[in-house]
Amino acid sequence: GAVVSQHPSWVICKSGTSVKIECRSLDFQATTMFWYRQFPKQSLMLMATSNEGSKATYEQGVEKDKFLINHASLTLSTLTVTSAHPEDSSFYICSARDPDGSFQQYFGPGTRLTVT
Amino acid sequence: GQQVMQIPQYQHVQEGEDFTTYCNSSTTLSNIQWYKQRPGGHPVFLIQLVKSGEVKKQKRLTFQFGEAKKNSSLHITATQTTEVGTYFCASGTYKYIFGTGTRLKVLA
């Protein structure tokens, strides 16, 4: 099956700094990727849909100026958390749709962000 | 907006007992997917259902999609300790909404 990687797997940063998370499709091209956020013992909440070559589509309540998404190539999408605060600490997971056309998503391993 | 609820929120079973989680939507779903997330891990796709009333089986797992396409269920027969984790239903085409999840613990 398709493989999605994420980097870093975990990161600790100081309040006020920015953190970039990379999501790569390793063996297929992904015109669309999705970014989710998951708090402990909660479900996945879709933050935004990342579209290759165009602007991301953000879900209601997600600040686009705070969570910058760039999808510059068919295999790479990045999420930058700007001016991070402790409340941004969470598990961030990206996914890509099945390149064969089904609705199945392939998820990256996730990035655990801790803001101190 | 569309909400997808799952019940129960938690389930503890003895190894060998059956387990069922239910997924309910306030609106008609175009499809339903089921994912399993192990503690500390990421969601892994289990199956996808598209047709009204569809039933699919994977070994001891049985997945159903309701006739009205507003609900779905996942049933595990004779659970094993390796099946601990959180089971999520999800739906969508251009974007996805996840259910609230059912956390399964299996006691040996």
Side-chain angles (χ1 to χ4, degrees):
Chain A
V3 179
V4 176
S5 71
Q6 259 183 264
H7 178 81
S9 56
W10 60 271
V11 58
I12 301 173
C13 71
K14 291 187 176 181
S15 187
T17 61
S18 296
V19 174
K20 179 184 283 189
I21 302 170
E22 293 185 348
C23 177
R24 293 182 186 274
S25 56
L26 296 186
D27 50 0
F28 67 103
Q29 294 183 334
T31 56
T32 302
M33 290 183 174
F34 303 94
W35 286 96
Y36 294 87
R37 182 173 179 174
Q38 185 178 36
F39 291 108
K41 297 184 179 181
Q42 293 191 21
S43 185
L44 284 78
M45 297 299 297
L46 180 64
M47 299 176 65
T49 303
S50 173
N51 306 297
E52 188 268 336
S54 65
K55 292 183 179 180
T57 304
Y58 290 82
E59 293 301 301
Q60 190 174 8
V62 178
E63 300 176 59
K64 60 181 180 181
D65 294 330
K66 180 171 181 60
F67 298 99
L68 302 179
I69 291 173
N70 184 275
H71 195 150
S73 79
L74 288 171
T75 58
L76 174 64
S77 175
T78 61
L79 168 68
T80 302
V81 183
T82 63
S83 186
H85 290 101
E87 56 266 30
D88 297 324
S89 298
S90 187
F91 192 48
Y92 292 87
I93 316 176
C94 69
S95 75
R97 279 186 60 172
D98 184 1
D100 292 335
S102 78
F103 303 123
Q104 173 181 347
Q105 295 179 74
Y106 292 94
F107 283 87
T111 298
R112 191 162 302 282
L113 170 64
T114 302
V115 184
T116 61
Chain B
Q2 183 180 36
Q3 292 186 347
V4 181
M5 303 298 294
Q6 277 182 257
I7 55 171
Q9 188 175 4
Y10 300 96
Q11 184 80 60
H12 294 183
V13 300
Q14 287 290 139
E15 188 175 22
E17 291 184 339
D18 292 357
F19 160 74
T20 305
T21 172
Y22 300 91
C23 178
N24 299 294
S25 170
S26 55
T27 58
T28 302
L29 303 171
S30 58
N31 60 73
I32 197 84
Q33 301 140 43
W34 284 94
Y35 294 84
K36 176 186 176 181
Q37 185 177 25
R38 291 181 179 273
H42 60 278
V44 174
F45 175 79
L46 295 176
I47 209 158
Q48 173 181 283
L49 304 169
V50 179
K51 299 176 183 177
S52 168
E54 189 170 12
V55 177
K56 287 188 178 180
K57 292 191 176 184
Q58 286 180 350
K59 297 183 180 178
R60 290 176 294 99
L61 279 63
T62 302
F63 304 85
Q64 292 188 329
F65 199 6
E67 293 289 343
K69 301 182 77 171
K70 285 187 175 182
N71 54 71
S72 180
S73 65
L74 158 58
H75 179 83
I76 304 177
T77 303
T79 56
Q80 299 177 354
T81 55
T82 53
E83 286 161 334
V84 296
T86 302
Y87 292 83
F88 291 101
C89 62
S91 185
T93 51
Y94 296 105
K95 66 177 187 179
Y96 301 87
I97 182 168
F98 273 74
T100 48
T102 296
R103 188 179 301 271
L104 172 64
K105 285 192 176 181
V106 182
L107 308 174

